[in-house]
Amino acid sequence: MSTETKCNPDLVRERAKCTFDVNELINLFYGSEKATKERRHFEDAVLAVKELKDAIPEEYLSHKERYENGVRKATILRDVYRDYKAKHNRDPPPNQITKAVIKDISPFLLHNGMFVPTIAGQGTPEQQAEWLPKAESMQIIGTYAQTELGHGSFIRGLETIATYDPKTEEFVLNNPTLTSFKWWPGGLGSTVNHCVVVAQLYINGKSHGIHPFIAQIRDLDTHKPLPGVKVGEIGPKMGFQTANNGFLGFDNFRIPRKNMLMKNAQVLKDGTFVKGINEKLTYGTMVMVRVGIVGDCSFYAALAATIAVRYSAVRHQSHIKASEPEAQILDYLTQQHKLFIAVASSHVYRNAYLWMEKMYTNVMKELSQDKQDNLPELHATACCLKAVCSRDAGSLVEECRLACGGHGYMASSNLPLTYGVTIAAVTYEGERTVLLLQTARYLMKAWMAALKGKVLSPSVSYLLNSLKESKKPWQNTPEGIVKGFQHVSFGKVKAAYETIQKYMKQGKDYEDAWNLASVQLVKASEAHSRAILCEVSWEAVCSSSASPNLSRVLQQLAQLYLTYWTLETSGDLLLYSNITKDDLIILRDKYEELLVAIRPNAVGLVDGFDLRDEILNSTLGSYDGRVYERLMEEALKSPLNQETVNSSFHKYLKPMMEKAKL
Ligand SMILES: CCCCC/C=C\C/C=C\C/C=C\C=C\C(=O)SCCNC(=O)CCNC(=O)[C@H](O)C(C)(C)COP(=O)(O)OP(=O)(O)OC[C@H]1O[C@@H](n2cnc3c(N)ncnc32)[C@H](O)[C@@H]1OP(=O)(O)O
Ligand SMILES: Cc1cc2nc3c(=O)[nH]c(=O)nc-3n(C[C@H](O)[C@H](O)[C@H](O)COP(=O)(O)OP(=O)(O)OC[C@H]3O[C@@H](n4cnc5c(N)ncnc54)[C@H](O)[C@@H]3O)c2cc1C
C-alpha cells in the first residue's frame, strides 16, 4: 500500500493541488539532489537503530531519567556518526535527525557546538594537535563555560580568576564569590569532564582581560569532580531539559600554562603577557554560533509551520458558507495570515544564513592572512540577524501553536517544546537587546562615516544611497519595498544619531546620551536587520535556478514576507519613506491576494521542508494527517491510563466523599 492511500483524504487532495514539483523544492532548499539523497540516507541509518527509539514519551520521565535517556541516545548517535565517517571518509551531511532522537537538546550540544570549535579557533597548532583528536573522538567531553551567576552579557565583568604562577608555570583558577560561579554551560551538570573556562587573567597582580583556558574538571575513570572543583546541575528550565546545564566553581585549582588557548594572546613561561592583534578575536566562537543560529531559526520555523499547516488542512471547524460542509481551517484567511508568514520566514532565514555563512567564511579567510577590516561588519551583522531572527522565529512558533487551538497546547503536538527551545535563542549566545546595541554602535560609526562622504561596507552602503534618494517616489514593487525598508533604517539611524547629539548638546556625556537614546538605537538595529533580510531574501529568490513553476511560488512567498512586514511596520514607513496611505491600501489588497495564491500550495510548501515524522515528533503534523488517531494513541500511553483505578481514589477521593456524607 502506498503512503498516499493511508493518508487523510484532505492531505491527498491538497497534494494533488500543488502547482510545483515538491522534490525540486526539497533539492533547492537543501542545496542539490545529491545533498538530499545523502541527508536522507544518513537519516535512514540513524532511524534504523532500534535502541534510539523511546519506549514512552519523554514527558512521562523524571528530570533525572530524561537526562539519562538523553545521554544514552547521544552516545549511540555518536557511534552512528563515527561509523558513517569511517565508511564514507567524511562527516555526515548537514541534517536535523538529532531532533528525532533527542527530542529536546543533546547533552553533547556544547561539546560539538562550542568546545571543539573553540579549541579549533582559539588554540595554537600544538594545542589543536593535543586536544582536537581527543575531543573529536570523544575521549574527552567538554563544554564552553563563560556565563556566571552574576554576569552573562558583560563578559569583561566576569569574575572567575586565572592567576599565573611563574614558579610552577601554572594558572590557578578561583571563583572568589557566589556571583563568580559559572552558571548555564550545557553538559556541565553531569556530562562533561573538560571545559573551556573563560576567566580574567592576572599576572603579578595585573589584570590582562578575559581569556579561554582548558580545564579538566572530572576524573576520566570515576567521573568524580577533581579536588578544587565544585560542579552540579542548575535544575529544570522552560526547555533544554536534556541539555544538562550546570554550575561550576574552582578553589585554587591548578592547570598547566599550556592550557590557556594561545592563538591570540600568550603568556610566556616567565609570565610575560603577549597581547593578541585584536582582543575581540577571543569572542570568535560566539560569532560562529550566532551565524549558525540564523540557520536554526529557519529549521524551527519550518518545523512549526509543517505541523500547523498539515493540521490546518485536516482540521474542519465551522462554516465559511452555511450551505457548505464544515471548512478546513486552512481555508480561513485569518489562519493563512497566521501560518504562511512562518513558511515564508523559514525561507528568508535560510537565505540569510547562507549569505551570512559566506560573509563568515570570507572574514575567517582574511583573518588567517592578518586582515581584520571586515571583522566589525561581520560582528555587527551576525549580532542583529541572530537577535531579530530568533525573536521572530520564537513568535512564529508560538503563533503556529496557537493556530492549532487546544491541540497545540498538548505536549504531543511538539509545539510547546519547540517554543521553549526556539525562544531560548533570544537569550543564549548574546541577549537580544545587548546584541542589537552592538549593531547600533556599528551603525552610528557608519552614519558618521556617511556624513563625511566616506565609502561604507556593503551591508550599510544603502545609508549613502538613501541619503541621495530621499526625494524619490515610493514604488509598490518588491524592489521598491526593499528600498523602503532601507529608508526606514536610514531614518532611524539618523534619528538615533541626532538624539545622541541632542543630549550631548544639553550637557550629557556620550555614555549617558547613548543610554537615553538606546530605545531608538535598538529600533534602528531592528530596522537595519529587516532591510538586510528583505534585500538578501528577495535577491536570492530572483537569482535562484528554480523552474518557472517553483520560481513563481517562491516569489510569492518572498513577496508575502515583504508585504507582511510593510503592513506590520506601516507607521515607520509612513514616517521615514515616501509611501502613501494609498500605497498601503494597495499592499493590503496585494497581501490578501498572496495568501489566496499561496493557499493551494500550502501543504506542498511544507512538504518541501522534507521534515520526517520522526523529526516533527508531532501528533498534529505527520505526513499522513492521522491527527485524531495519533492524539488518542499518545493519550493512551499516559501512565495514568495503565490502570483502571488510580490509588489516589482509595487514598484521597473516597475518604473525601465519605467525609462529605457525614
Ligand atoms: C555552526 C552551527 C552552530 C549552530 C548552533 C550550534 C550550537 C549552539 C550552541 C549553543 C547554544 C546553546 C548554548 C549557548 C551558549 C552560550 O550562550 S555561550 C555564552 C554566550 N555569551 C554571549 O554571547 C555574551 C554576550 N556578550 C558579548 O558578546 C560581549 O560582552 C559584548 C559584545 C556584548 C560586549 O563586549 P565588550 O567587551 O563589553 O565590548 P564593548 O561593548 O566594549 O565593545 C568593544 C568593541 O568590540 C567589538 N566587539 C565585541 N564583540 C565582538 C566580536 N565578537 N567580534 C568582533 N568585535 C567585537 C564591539 O563592536 C566594539 O567595537 P567598537 O569599539 O565599537 O569598534
Ligand atoms: C538555554 C540557555 C543555554 C545557555 N548555555 C550557555 C552555555 O553553554 N555557556 C555559557 O557560557 N552560557 C550559556 N548561557 C548563558 C547565556 O549566554 C546568557 O544568559 C546570555 O548571554 C544573557 O546574559 P544574562 O543572562 O547575563 O542576561 P542579562 O545581561 O542579565 O540580561 C537581563 C536584562 O538586562 C538587559 N541588559 C543587560 N546588559 C545591558 C546593556 N548593556 N544595555 C541594555 N540592557 C542590558 C538585557 O537586555 C536583559 O533585558 C545559556 C543561556 C540559556 C538561556
Side-chain angles (χ1 to χ4, degrees):
M1 196 162 38
S2 80
T3 327
E4 288 292 310
T5 50
K6 281 193 279 178
C7 254
N8 172 293
D10 281 315
L11 282 182
V12 175
R13 269 193 298 276
E14 292 295 336
R15 290 185 175 119
K17 273 195 264 185
C18 188
T19 63
F20 62 89
D21 176 1
V22 172
N23 285 321
E24 187 192 350
L25 174 56
I26 294 171
N27 296 336
L28 190 80
F29 195 78
Y30 292 98
S32 66
E33 193 179 338
K34 186 167 170 258
T36 302
K37 258 194 204 150
E38 285 178 0
R39 177 179 52 80
R40 287 181 176 169
H41 181 251
F42 178 68
E43 289 175 357
D44 286 340
V46 171
L47 295 175
V49 182
K50 280 197 214 87
E51 294 75 22
L52 287 176
K53 290 192 177 49
D54 283 319
I56 53 163
E58 292 207 339
E59 286 76 18
Y60 297 121
L61 302 180
S62 70
H63 184 60
K64 187 163 172 272
E65 289 165 337
R66 230 168 146 167
Y67 163 68
E68 287 163 359
N69 191 37
V71 176
R72 182 186 70 78
K73 289 186 288 182
T75 54
I76 300 173
L77 192 57
R78 145 80 209 153
D79 287 347
V80 184
Y81 269 74
R82 187 204 50 207
D83 295 349
Y84 183 100
K85 197 169 176 182
K87 189 167 165 199
H88 297 85
N89 209 18
R90 57 181 151 79
D91 284 324
N95 67 82
Q96 293 288 354
I97 202 67
T98 304
K99 269 275 146 234
V101 175
I102 319 260
K103 311 293 182 332
D104 193 336
I105 295 287
S106 166
F108 293 165
L109 174 73
L110 265 287
H111 175 89
N112 297 316
M114 292 192 84
F115 180 67
V116 172
T118 305
I119 299 171
Q122 313 281 322
T124 60
E126 297 75 39
Q127 291 177 317
Q128 291 181 27
E130 172 166 1
W131 284 299
L132 277 184
K134 286 187 215 156
E136 284 170 345
S137 62
M138 303 301 277
Q139 290 171 60
I140 60 172
I141 315 161
T143 186
Y144 183 82
Q146 180 172 288
T147 307
E148 297 171 357
L149 259 179
H151 290 92
S153 295
F154 181 57
I155 50 186
R156 279 184 291 136
L158 294 178
E159 297 176 83
T160 303
I161 291 169
T163 311
Y164 185 61
D165 179 352
K167 281 190 236 96
T168 58
E169 293 179 18
E170 288 172 320
F171 293 102
V172 188
L173 297 178
N174 271 299
N175 290 80
T177 57
L178 175 62
T179 49
S180 74
F181 264 63
K182 295 294 174 192
W183 189 273
W184 270 119
L188 184 59
S190 334
T191 315
V192 307
N193 43 44
H194 280 69
C195 52
V196 167
V197 182
V198 181
Q200 299 283 357
L201 170 64
Y202 278 85
I203 307 173
N204 294 326
K206 188 170 180 261
S207 163
H208 291 280
I210 56 165
H211 296 276
F213 301 83
I214 296 215
Q216 180 180 342
I217 57 166
R218 288 186 169 100
D219 184 89
L220 295 189
D221 282 330
T222 64
H223 206 54
K224 288 203 173 133
L226 296 179
V229 171
K230 191 170 178 191
V231 63
E233 198 246 349
I234 64 173
K237 297 137 284 179
M238 256 179 88
F240 273 61
Q241 308 302 356
T242 48
N244 192 226
N245 302 88
F247 65 80
L248 170 70
F250 294 108
D251 182 12
N252 285 320
F253 185 78
R254 287 178 171 263
I255 53 171
R257 186 182 67 93
K258 68 174 174 56
N259 282 30
M260 173 173 148
L261 290 173
M262 295 208 210
K263 181 174 173 191
N264 299 316
Q266 292 101 42
V267 174
L268 306 184
K269 283 183 184 175
D270 65 356
T272 305
F273 178 70
V274 184
K275 231 177 146 184
I277 48 164
N278 180 345
E279 60 188 24
K280 299 302 171 199
L281 291 175
T282 311
Y283 301 173
T285 314
M286 290 183 279
V287 179
M288 182 208 76
V289 177
R290 285 169 194 151
V291 173
I293 288 169
V294 177
D296 285 0
C297 291
S298 169
F299 166 70
Y300 286 116
L303 186 129
T306 305
I307 295 170
V309 166
R310 286 189 184 152
Y311 173 69
S312 300
V314 168
R315 178 78 164 175
H316 290 250
Q317 187 103 240
S318 313
H319 301 264
I320 293 177
K321 280 188 185 165
S323 57
E324 288 181 2
E326 282 194 275
Q328 288 168 283
I329 58 172
L330 193 54
D331 279 335
Y332 296 109
L333 204 78
T334 46
Q335 189 78 354
Q336 296 161 19
H337 172 59
K338 291 174 201 174
L339 302 185
F340 295 174
I341 185 62
V343 180
S345 299
S346 175
H347 285 270
V348 170
Y349 305 154
R350 173 86 186 157
N351 287 323
Y353 163 68
L354 295 173
W355 177 80
M356 274 257 51
E357 202 190 26
K358 253 189 222 150
M359 188 194 279
Y360 178 82
T361 310
N362 284 341
V363 174
M364 289 307 115
K365 197 169 149 206
E366 290 172 3
L367 285 175
S368 70
Q369 298 154 357
D370 282 348
K371 191 170 172 281
Q372 299 175 46
D373 312 12
N374 294 317
L375 180 63
E377 184 186 31
L378 171 69
H379 167 59
T381 319
C383 278
C384 70
L385 289 189
K386 182 271 187 190
V388 167
C389 295
S390 58
R391 185 70 188 91
D392 285 0
S395 303
L396 292 166
V397 171
E398 176 63 353
E399 194 63 32
C400 287
R401 188 188 71 72
L402 293 168
C404 294
H407 297 327
Y409 198 68
M410 294 292 298
S412 72
S413 74
N414 198 21
L415 290 168
L417 174 69
T418 303
Y419 177 69
V421 168
T422 311
I423 208 69
V426 179
T427 308
Y428 69 63
E429 224 53 62
E431 192 276 333
R432 173 186 157 83
T433 306
V434 169
L435 292 193
L436 288 171
L437 287 171
Q438 283 291 305
T439 309
R441 276 173 84 105
Y442 182 75
L443 291 174
M444 289 302 104
K445 283 190 184 171
W447 179 249
M448 284 187 267
L451 291 180
K452 290 181 190 151
K454 290 190 181 161
V455 178
L456 301 185
S457 304
S459 64
V460 282
S461 60
Y462 69 84
L463 291 174
L464 280 175
N465 299 339
S466 301
L467 206 56
K468 289 177 213 145
E469 289 174 357
S470 59
K471 298 266 166 350
K472 281 197 182 164
W474 173 269
Q475 281 191 313
N476 252 345
T477 59
E479 292 77 10
I481 295 177
V482 169
K483 279 225 176 309
F485 280 112
Q486 293 175 343
H487 285 299
V488 170
S489 177
F490 165 85
K492 292 196 172 200
V493 168
K494 181 171 180 286
Y497 175 80
E498 288 170 357
T499 302
I500 294 175
Q501 298 306 309
K502 179 191 80 180
Y503 285 122
M504 288 177 70
K505 276 193 196 125
Q506 288 171 4
K508 308 267 185 232
D509 61 23
Y510 188 75
E511 285 88 351
D512 280 333
W514 175 271
N515 190 31
L516 288 168
S518 58
V519 174
Q520 286 190 46
L521 287 161
V522 164
K523 301 250 179 238
S525 281
E526 283 174 327
H528 172 64
S529 317
R530 195 70 64 202
I532 295 179
L533 289 169
C534 289
E535 186 180 19
V536 167
S537 54
W538 182 246
E539 275 180 4
V541 162
C542 292
S543 61
S544 114
S545 57
S547 67
N549 280 355
L550 178 57
S551 187
R552 191 175 312 115
V553 183
L554 292 178
Q555 295 217 3
Q556 286 167 351
L557 277 184
Q559 287 191 41
L560 183 94
Y561 185 86
L562 296 176
T563 320
Y564 175 95
W565 281 105
T566 305
L567 298 173
E568 281 291 305
T569 57
S570 55
D572 289 340
L573 284 154
L574 285 167
L575 205 54
Y576 294 116
S577 79
N578 294 327
I579 200 167
T580 63
K581 282 185 193 169
D582 288 343
D583 293 321
L584 281 169
I585 290 166
I586 293 169
L587 286 172
R588 186 195 61 198
D589 294 347
K590 170 82 185 163
Y591 179 71
E592 289 163 7
E593 285 165 21
L594 283 166
L595 292 177
V596 172
I598 291 167
R599 165 65 186 91
N601 286 316
V603 169
L605 280 166
V606 297
D607 286 352
F609 291 131
D610 202 24
L611 299 175
R612 292 169 183 249
D613 284 358
E614 293 87 348
I615 294 175
L616 296 171
N617 189 29
S618 170
T619 43
L620 309 186
S622 302
Y623 188 86
D624 64 10
R626 288 176 62 249
V627 168
Y628 301 113
E629 295 89 332
R630 281 178 208 277
L631 278 165
M632 184 57 85
E633 281 159 21
E634 288 304 305
L636 292 176
K637 291 180 187 166
S638 166
L640 291 176
N641 292 324
Q642 308 316 311
E643 52 193 2
T644 320
V645 177
N646 181 259
S647 59
S648 64
F649 173 75
H650 299 289
K651 264 198 217 157
Y652 309 115
L653 299 179
K654 201 166 176 201
M656 178 188 74
M657 293 189 307
E658 310 242 289
K659 251 192 264 167
K661 281 192 225 154
L662 301 176

